[in-house]
Amino acid sequence: MGLSTGCRRLDELLGGGVPDERSLLVSGPPGTGKTTLGMQFLQAGLDRGEECLFVSTEQTVGELEDTFEPYPFDLDADGLTVITVHCEPGDTMERDDDLVVRTLEGGDRAVTEWFDLPFTRENVVHYLSEYGPKDRILLDSLSGLRPIAADEVSFWRSTYDLIRLFSDTFDATSLLTAEDSDTGDSVASELLRYATHGVIELSSVERANQRHTFLRVEKLRGRDHDTRRHKLVLGEAGATVQPTQRTPPSDLLDHDHLSTGIDALDELLGGGLVRGGFTLLSHDGTTSYYTINAQMLATAVETGMALSVAIPAEVSLSQLDRYWTDTDWSVGDLLDADRLFVLELVASDGYDHRNVLRYDESADRGWEQLMEVSYDRSGDRPLFAFIDTEPLLEQIAPERAREVRYRAAASHTDDDDVVVYAVNPAIQNQSLVEFFADTSSQTIRIEREEDGIEWLTLRKSPTGSPGTSKVVAYDEEPPYVDLV
């Protein structure tokens, strides 16, 4: 798969380490641990008996020794060559004030002797070519080579030449660091990010007068990788990445799941919808989230559950039938078998059936009474309750919705039941939305951007991958939706 970075969790985020004979750019502000992360990558290779090259453009060997003094890194290892490349004014055949290539004061660990040469792309590449082949290379940092070119495009070409030298000529796997800043004049520009096979981005956050460093794998070509932000911790053992997982270990949990009928969504949720709990589905009013809902409902029926649904007026029962054309049953079949209970809270859907329960507070058919009927008529079957709060809040106050939600959970929801509420925070009572989010076992957010792309994000869950976002993709075949 690839070469280890020396940090197990980072290897996992990269989908199996650094791809062999490829390059990664590690960018970030000063002091975020770029050099330490790079040296840990080299040390992992040294521990395996590999040949490694450390090219420093900003620190002498003595300064590197001071930097790495707290860590278990060995700059004197037999398989490690440390060289320094620096740009400074000097004498060339043309002028006595040209920028020239020199080692930084303090010497280097290389045997090669060489003369002052103009600080050009060709000369730097020629100088470095004397140190191959290698298994791993750290170039720290590209910022020190910036004078090699007059403009950003030329500098990108110079960096690309170095990457080709390392990957194609040396057959090496390389890490290149670059200082990134908020000034806009960043060496780690989009061009450099394009030149490398992948990008690891470091950032800093201040909280309560303490500085925290975070790591994110921003890009990695051809590899399924984790793009979530993680804390980078620099300690005596080197660099570690936390959290190693975002939900408690499975042996500490006791959760049964109901499949959503969508494999990628089940994987994201850690198995599916939590039984005996409450899932909040948050949307922005522009998505086709009922395609996902219909698949959840169909899967619940297939597992032997009964359905109790409160859907908005624009989602008709005949529309559910269109989603269920590949099944052996229809809306009418489920109503007749006491497997489907429709809580009509606003307008009639045209169905005249004892299990189409029409809301009428004055006739003692309020929301709580309708839910009571659903639980009673479903008998011993587990119940899948899907409640869209849009029609609900047209009939009852948010305080009443909160009260009935508590009563239903305490009096009726069994360990095998599943409850899903759909909310649109943009148009609904904020305190009620926060109440639903706070009391939910899982919170899923679906939203559409201006270009039409729909995103599904798992905001909260006791299992699975909270914080992960996927693009929603629709299909003409069941289950009609996928996450990519």
Side-chain angles (χ1 to χ4, degrees):
M1 290 288 289
L3 302 186
S4 174
T5 61
C7 173
R8 181 182 62 83
R9 181 56 179 151
L10 179 54
D11 291 345
E12 293 172 353
L13 300 185
L14 292 167
V18 184
D20 194 30
E21 298 182 17
R22 295 291 185 267
S23 61
L24 288 188
L25 176 67
V26 182
S27 72
T32 49
K34 299 184 295 294
T35 305
T36 302
L37 201 61
M39 183 59 206
Q40 185 157 318
F41 165 72
L42 294 185
Q43 189 65 52
L46 294 171
D47 293 342
R48 292 170 50 89
E50 298 174 358
E51 293 292 321
C52 300
L53 175 64
F54 189 146
V55 182
S56 177
T57 68
E58 295 180 342
Q59 296 187 81
T60 67
V61 173
E63 289 170 340
L64 290 174
E65 290 173 337
D66 291 340
T67 298
F68 297 141
E69 194 276 331
Y71 305 111
F73 303 149
D74 185 7
L75 284 176
D76 294 317
D78 291 339
L80 178 63
T81 300
V82 183
I83 64 173
T84 61
V85 178
H86 185 51
C87 166
E88 64 178 34
D91 297 333
T92 67
M93 293 182 62
E94 289 79 17
R95 295 175 51 183
D96 62 3
D97 61 350
D98 279 342
L99 294 176
V100 297
V101 184
R102 282 188 183 151
T103 57
L104 285 163
E105 186 176 347
D108 58 39
R109 305 290 174 94
V111 181
T112 305
E113 293 183 2
W114 54 292
F115 299 96
D116 285 356
L117 296 172
F119 198 78
T120 64
R121 176 177 62 192
E122 294 77 15
N123 285 334
V124 170
V125 170
H126 174 70
Y127 172 61
L128 293 179
S129 66
E130 300 180 25
Y131 297 99
K134 298 293 181 186
D135 298 304
R136 302 182 185 221
I137 296 175
L138 169 63
L139 196 163
D140 181 52
S141 76
L142 288 171
S143 307
L145 297 180
R146 186 61 182 87
I148 204 171
D151 55 62
E152 193 76 7
V153 174
S154 298
F155 183 63
W156 169 74
R157 289 173 180 164
S158 302
T159 302
Y160 191 76
D161 284 348
L162 290 174
I163 293 171
R164 295 274 62 81
L165 172 70
F166 297 156
S167 299
D168 298 344
T169 304
F170 287 8
D171 295 328
T173 304
S174 57
L175 256 60
L176 298 83
T177 72
E179 187 169 308
D180 212 352
S181 66
D182 298 327
T183 63
D185 185 22
S186 169
V187 172
S189 65
E190 289 304 314
L191 286 175
L192 291 186
R193 293 167 189 263
Y194 178 79
T196 52
H197 193 76
V199 178
I200 297 175
E201 185 179 69
L202 306 184
S203 59
S204 290
V205 174
E206 292 282 342
R207 285 289 177 90
N209 297 320
Q210 289 185 317
R211 183 184 180 190
H212 300 267
T213 300
F214 286 88
L215 175 150
R216 177 175 174 265
V217 180
E218 183 183 273
K219 162 192 140 179
L220 193 57
R221 293 191 186 121
R223 181 79 68 81
D224 185 13
H225 62 285
D226 192 326
T227 60
R228 292 176 294 176
R229 223 175 32 142
H230 286 68
K231 176 88 180 283
L232 179 66
V233 181
L234 302 179
E236 292 182 357
T240 59
V241 174
Q242 296 289 341
T244 55
Q245 59 186 64
R246 298 190 182 218
T247 56
S250 58
D251 55 357
L252 298 179
L253 301 172
D254 185 22
H255 290 294
D256 190 15
H257 293 90
L258 171 70
S259 171
T260 63
I262 303 165
D263 291 342
L265 183 53
D266 286 346
E267 181 180 356
L268 188 67
L269 295 169
L273 303 172
V274 173
R275 287 184 182 268
F278 160 46
T279 297
L280 179 65
L281 181 60
S282 173
H283 65 94
D284 63 2
T286 67
T287 69
S288 302
Y289 70 99
Y290 261 96
T291 305
I292 296 176
N293 300 344
Q295 189 60 43
M296 291 179 180
L297 295 171
T299 304
V301 173
E302 290 169 357
T303 61
M305 302 181 75
L307 310 180
S308 179
V309 300
I311 54 182
E314 63 268 17
V315 181
S316 64
L317 294 178
S318 58
Q319 184 174 345
L320 286 179
D321 260 339
R322 288 196 296 273
Y323 284 124
W324 295 344
T325 54
D326 60 310
T327 67
D328 296 330
W329 33 263
S330 64
V331 166
D333 295 333
L334 296 178
L335 288 170
D336 290 343
D338 287 344
R339 299 283 304 278
L340 173 62
F341 310 97
V342 181
L343 282 58
E344 286 209 332
L345 299 170
V346 180
S348 173
D349 195 35
Y351 265 83
D352 185 15
H353 195 282
R354 65 187 289 269
N355 286 330
V356 176
L357 309 173
R358 293 184 172 86
Y359 180 93
D360 188 347
E361 191 80 51
S362 63
D364 200 25
R365 293 199 301 271
W367 180 36
E368 194 167 4
Q369 287 73 36
L370 298 186
M371 288 300 299
E372 291 275 358
V373 171
S374 299
Y375 281 105
D376 290 342
R377 292 184 184 175
S378 61
D380 294 332
R381 295 188 184 93
L383 188 70
F384 186 115
F386 181 87
I387 310 297
D388 196 303
T389 57
E390 182 182 342
L392 175 65
L393 293 175
E394 291 189 28
Q395 300 290 353
I396 66 174
E399 295 76 16
R400 177 68 173 151
R402 185 183 292 109
E403 177 187 350
V404 177
R405 157 80 187 104
Y406 266 133
R407 287 188 182 181
S411 304
H412 296 290
T413 304
D414 293 330
D415 290 342
D416 290 335
D417 295 335
V418 174
V419 178
V420 178
Y421 277 65
V423 301
N424 182 351
I427 62 172
Q428 293 177 358
N429 181 278
Q430 190 62 35
S431 63
L432 180 62
V433 171
E434 292 171 355
F435 162 76
F436 283 145
D438 183 58
T439 58
S440 68
S441 302
Q442 297 169 310
T443 298
I444 302 168
R445 172 68 176 170
I446 305 177
E447 53 199 335
R448 185 191 296 267
E449 294 187 346
E450 292 183 358
D451 61 358
I453 295 291
E454 282 189 26
W455 289 93
L456 185 148
T457 302
L458 181 59
R459 295 282 183 86
K460 175 184 178 182
S461 181
T463 57
S465 303
T468 300
S469 296
K470 298 284 187 179
V471 172
V472 181
Y474 294 101
D475 197 358
E476 295 180 356
E477 300 295 329
Y480 305 111
V481 64
D482 195 7
L483 303 181
V484 296

